[in-house]
Amino acid sequence: MTSLPNHDTVQYVTLDVFTKVQFKVNPLAIVEIPHGGDLGQELKQRIAREFNLSETVFLHPPLTEGEPFNRKCDIFTVAEELPFAGHPTIGTFVYLCRERATAESAVQSLTLLTKAGPIHAHYDAKTGTAKANIPHNVRIHQSAVPFPSILEAQPTFEALQLRHSYPLVSIVKGMTFILINLPQVSDLASLATDGPRIDPHAIQPDAGWESFTAPYYYAVMSEDEATRHLRIRSRMIEPSFGEDPATGVSDFGFSNCIIGQLGSTNA
């Protein structure tokens, strides 16, 4: 709980998502916006920078009295607002449902209203897990990102035999990833987490799709040609906040791109 200039006292909580171990995997801050007010974009951005986590959620009060499971939320990185993100939505679902679940109603439903659209989810109190229907409007853009621009951000790539350009893929408007395939899993260990951002002038999404963009580095661990089952290891690194330990959104974008290229594939 904290006091802010010209605003009521607000409550916040920090969570660790995708883990049962405290201080592991994806941290998340959730700030409860008080009834009858809003913190404003500038103040929300300042709060997100203060938390200095990959994402901070600002949770609005219920839209209708007596319906606590229909909530609007805003998702911010330290640099900008996002229309949608994976672990913030899952973390918020669990936060809202965990203490409200009862023995008579072990599975609860909830809708979060994000800038990308409504996200419907179910929370199972017995297992402590949440499942969500992810909004998507997948687009593989016409322009790819040239290798020299990737090299500026990752100088160790000069010794690798890499392709000339890399696809630019959006899961929804506002969330875009550069899919960078590395020859070996061991190459992932050499990635710099504190280097410069990829030159934004080299990132040319289709008209109307300008957005947050981050590189998604991956290498194939194994591939079963009979079942078309693909196992990969990946890292998503965005210099504004560092590395995202478990990024579901970019994994989803990768899977859609691979399925589009190879047909029915288990990735």
Side-chain angles (χ1 to χ4, degrees):
M1 186 176 293
T2 188
S3 295
L4 300 171
N6 303 319
H7 289 277
D8 295 332
T9 298
V10 296
Q11 262 188 316
Y12 69 86
V13 63
T14 57
L15 311 174
D16 296 305
V17 186
F18 300 144
T19 182
K20 294 182 179 180
V21 181
Q22 194 173 26
F23 309 127
K24 290 284 188 179
V25 194
N26 285 51
L28 174 69
I30 299 176
V31 178
E32 296 252 20
I33 295 177
H35 283 270
D38 193 355
L39 301 179
Q41 290 293 105
E42 182 181 352
L43 183 53
K44 283 185 281 191
Q45 189 65 75
R46 286 168 52 197
I47 294 170
R49 283 198 295 266
E50 179 72 17
F51 277 115
N52 200 31
L53 302 176
S54 59
E55 285 102 355
T56 297
V57 168
F58 294 88
L59 188 63
H60 293 253
L63 296 177
T64 305
E65 188 175 353
E67 294 185 11
F69 299 118
N70 193 14
R71 307 285 290 270
K72 177 185 174 184
C73 72
D74 307 316
I75 304 170
F76 280 73
T77 71
V78 296
E80 61 192 305
E81 185 178 8
L82 300 178
F84 164 70
H87 89 266
T89 54
I90 294 297
T92 303
F93 287 136
V94 174
Y95 167 70
L96 287 172
C97 294
R98 185 171 53 191
E99 296 182 357
R100 294 175 173 87
T102 65
E104 293 76 21
S105 181
V107 178
Q108 297 200 31
S109 297
L110 174 69
T111 299
L112 281 181
L113 304 177
T114 69
K115 296 293 194 301
I119 304 175
H120 307 290
H122 300 281
Y123 174 75
D124 189 333
K126 292 182 179 179
T127 62
T129 58
K131 295 181 179 180
N133 296 322
I134 303 301
H136 58 278
N137 182 16
V138 177
R139 188 179 187 92
I140 301 175
H141 297 274
Q142 297 278 336
S143 297
V145 179
F147 172 68
S149 299
I150 308 295
L151 184 61
E152 290 178 5
Q154 297 291 343
T156 60
F157 283 6
E158 190 166 11
L160 304 179
Q161 294 181 344
L162 300 179
R163 65 175 68 173
H164 296 295
S165 61
Y166 293 88
L168 197 60
V169 180
S170 297
I171 177 175
V172 293
K173 278 192 175 182
M175 288 293 289
T176 302
F177 298 93
I178 309 164
L179 304 186
I180 303 168
N181 185 9
L182 301 182
Q184 304 291 334
V185 172
S186 58
D187 296 328
L188 292 166
S190 67
L191 295 176
T193 58
D194 57 354
R197 300 184 74 172
I198 294 172
D199 183 2
H201 295 98
I203 301 170
Q204 300 292 329
D206 296 343
W209 284 77
E210 296 77 10
S211 70
F212 167 87
T213 303
Y216 177 86
Y217 305 95
Y218 72 94
V220 176
M221 298 176 65
S222 65
E223 181 176 1
D224 189 321
E225 293 186 2
T227 62
R228 309 198 78 179
H229 184 88
L230 196 67
R231 293 179 68 241
I232 68 163
R233 179 162 291 176
S234 63
R235 298 179 70 182
M236 197 282 276
I237 298 170
E238 165 49 42
S240 65
F241 56 76
E243 181 166 6
D244 199 348
T247 171
V249 175
S250 55
D251 290 338
F252 186 85
F254 165 81
S255 297
N256 275 271
C257 183
I258 292 297
I259 289 170
Q261 291 176 357
L262 304 180
S264 179
T265 300
N266 300 312

